[in-house]
Amino acid sequence: MNIPIDNTALVEAALKLKENAVQENRLWFLQKLISAKFILPVVIIPEPVNNKIPADATVNYFSMTTSKGLNYLAVFTSGEEFEKWNKNPNKMYLIRGYDNIKNMVLGRKGYDGFVIDPCGCNLAVQNSLIQNIEKANNPDVVIRPEKIQTEGDIGLRQVSSPPEKLKKALCDYFDSRDNISSAYFMETIRKGEDKPTPVLVVEFCKDGSLKAAFDGIAAVAHTVMKKGETIGLMPSFDKVAQKYIKEASPFYRK
């Protein structure tokens, strides 16, 4: 089947992750995952006429159940992978991006995640991983219960001279951790405000709890920041952070 989507990089990242599940491979896979588009097989009743789905149509999806009773929505990276699973020439499908697939599995009862190419790389993306990605894309802002919103183009710019006390406290803390490889000091102006909010973009070199890592960084920042000051925390694999740190230099690197 010639379906106009290209997930070559995603498949390569998935296979590399299965061979060696180190943090570098995991982050590469996540980067490719959140920008991917998938083939989603469906059964539509009644069938579309002239490629138009009737308003009262029911759209049914396919899922696969593991020997442990986990139920995964089935998605495919290419027409060839779709063909391996179903050779029926009259099969129907939709093309949906990661965000659509994510909303489907999190918004419906009974799904434990989704499985990519069950007859190929056969990689399951569980709900717990999806939720961790969501937390990374919408990270908590420390000191006060606010959030840095990463939907759309929030705009980050590098801070050339971070506050010395904060910089020293963070660098000392990072030296004591084995899961942090670099950090960037950025800032953004949030909607409705005219003063910039500092944003710390952190690159991790080991797997682990993102919440626990950010909680530790927040606690250190809190010791030197003034009451009421805020700082945003973002992982380097966040798609917004990636865009802006390409031209930036880290203030900390192991």
Side-chain angles (χ1 to χ4, degrees):
M1 292 180 68
N2 185 19
I3 300 177
I5 61 173
D6 183 5
N7 285 302
T8 304
L10 174 65
V11 174
E12 289 176 353
L15 293 173
K16 194 169 183 179
L17 177 63
K18 292 186 75 171
E19 291 172 1
N20 190 8
V22 296
Q23 180 74 350
E24 180 182 358
N25 291 345
R26 181 174 183 270
L27 295 183
W28 184 39
F29 169 73
L30 292 179
Q31 290 170 18
K32 301 305 178 186
L33 175 68
I34 61 180
S35 60
K37 289 186 178 180
F38 296 98
I39 298 169
L40 178 65
V42 296
V43 172
I44 302 175
I45 303 173
E47 291 189 11
V49 178
N50 296 325
N51 291 323
K52 293 184 178 180
I53 300 176
D56 60 346
T58 300
V59 181
N60 301 283
Y61 307 99
F62 291 86
S63 61
M64 306 188 73
T65 303
T66 70
S67 59
K68 295 181 179 180
L70 298 175
N71 192 43
Y72 294 120
L73 178 72
V75 302
F76 299 87
T77 59
S78 67
E80 290 76 14
E81 292 297 333
F82 192 14
E83 282 282 321
K84 291 179 185 177
W85 177 75
N86 185 353
K87 297 186 181 300
N88 184 340
N90 299 317
K91 52 184 172 289
M92 291 182 284
Y93 65 90
L94 302 172
I95 296 179
R96 292 292 183 263
Y98 167 77
D99 283 343
N100 297 117
I101 302 299
K102 169 200 74 180
N103 291 335
M104 284 183 61
V105 298
L106 294 182
R108 296 167 180 255
K109 290 184 177 179
Y111 285 129
D112 296 291
F114 62 96
V115 60
I116 300 171
D117 294 344
C119 296
C121 70
N122 191 33
L123 184 65
V125 178
Q126 295 188 341
N127 286 349
S128 57
L129 175 58
I130 298 171
Q131 289 162 350
N132 280 337
I133 295 173
E134 285 303 286
K135 289 177 183 177
N137 284 338
N138 296 280
D140 291 337
V141 174
V142 301
I143 313 302
R144 294 198 311 227
E146 303 176 37
K147 289 190 175 181
I148 290 289
Q149 298 298 329
T150 65
E151 295 180 1
D153 192 349
I154 64 170
L156 295 175
R157 63 184 181 187
Q158 185 170 16
V159 176
S160 57
S161 300
E164 281 301 322
K165 286 186 178 180
L166 179 57
K167 178 180 176 181
K168 184 179 185 308
L170 290 170
C171 288
D172 288 345
Y173 178 72
F174 295 157
D175 281 341
S176 70
R177 306 282 93 186
D178 65 355
N179 63 330
I180 296 172
S181 58
S182 61
Y184 300 78
F185 210 102
M186 315 290 283
E187 66 181 14
T188 186
I189 296 180
R190 297 182 294 190
K191 186 176 180 181
E193 297 185 3
D194 55 6
K195 292 184 179 180
T197 295
V199 179
L200 194 67
V201 179
V202 183
E203 182 176 357
F204 296 94
C205 54
K206 278 192 174 184
D207 216 346
S209 168
L210 192 62
K211 181 180 184 303
F214 278 172
D215 283 349
I217 296 170
V220 171
H222 181 75
T223 63
V224 294
M225 294 182 72
K226 295 178 181 179
K227 185 177 180 180
E229 288 183 331
T230 65
I231 185 168
L233 296 173
M234 299 172 69
S236 62
F237 62 79
D238 177 274
K239 56 187 176 183
V240 173
Q242 285 177 29
K243 176 181 177 180
Y244 291 99
I245 64 175
K246 284 181 180 178
E247 305 300 325
S249 299
F251 74 91
Y252 175 85
R253 186 188 296 277
K254 271 197 175 70

